[in-house]
Amino acid sequence: MEIIIENAGMETDEFHAIAGGETGEALRKTAKNYLGSQNVTEHQLEELRMAGGEEYEALRRDMTQHALSVVNVPKDAAISLDIAFQGGAKS
């Protein structure tokens, strides 16, 4: 399982500076820690993603907001986080 940082409207250079550097690594690590704190297994996450719907989207929003807050990235930054399975390939 990997955490993918998605550009949701940020300037390309600014996005790459955040996503590609230490801040991006910190966002990914914090997001994984958040998922672990939710007591949900990777299998359960994958099932949620496959089912789609509001529960998965709410988890993504909460994970993104938590990571942005902990890493001190502005909460209104045009970044979203997603979960990728199977070696980082989005399904």
Side-chain angles (χ1 to χ4, degrees):
M1 174 179 77
E2 298 294 325
I3 302 298
I4 305 297
I5 301 173
E6 298 176 328
N7 188 345
M10 191 176 267
E11 292 291 328
T12 302
D13 290 341
E14 183 182 10
F15 172 76
H16 286 293
I18 290 173
E22 289 180 22
T23 302
E25 288 303 313
L27 287 169
R28 289 180 190 91
K29 181 178 180 180
T30 302
K32 279 189 175 185
N33 289 343
Y34 175 81
L35 293 173
S37 75
Q38 299 302 300
N39 295 319
V40 60
T41 67
E42 187 171 336
H43 180 71
Q44 290 169 320
L45 287 170
E46 194 164 11
E47 285 179 349
L48 264 179
R49 185 163 200 248
M50 297 296 264
E54 181 55 32
E55 190 175 359
Y56 180 74
E57 290 305 316
L59 178 67
R60 280 187 64 193
R61 279 191 306 274
D62 292 347
M63 174 183 69
T64 298
Q65 290 304 310
H66 174 77
L68 292 175
S69 176
V70 169
V71 180
N72 292 321
V73 175
K75 287 187 178 185
D76 62 349
I79 291 175
S80 63
L81 302 178
D82 201 1
I83 306 162
F85 302 94
Q86 301 170 351
K90 289 179 75 172
S91 52

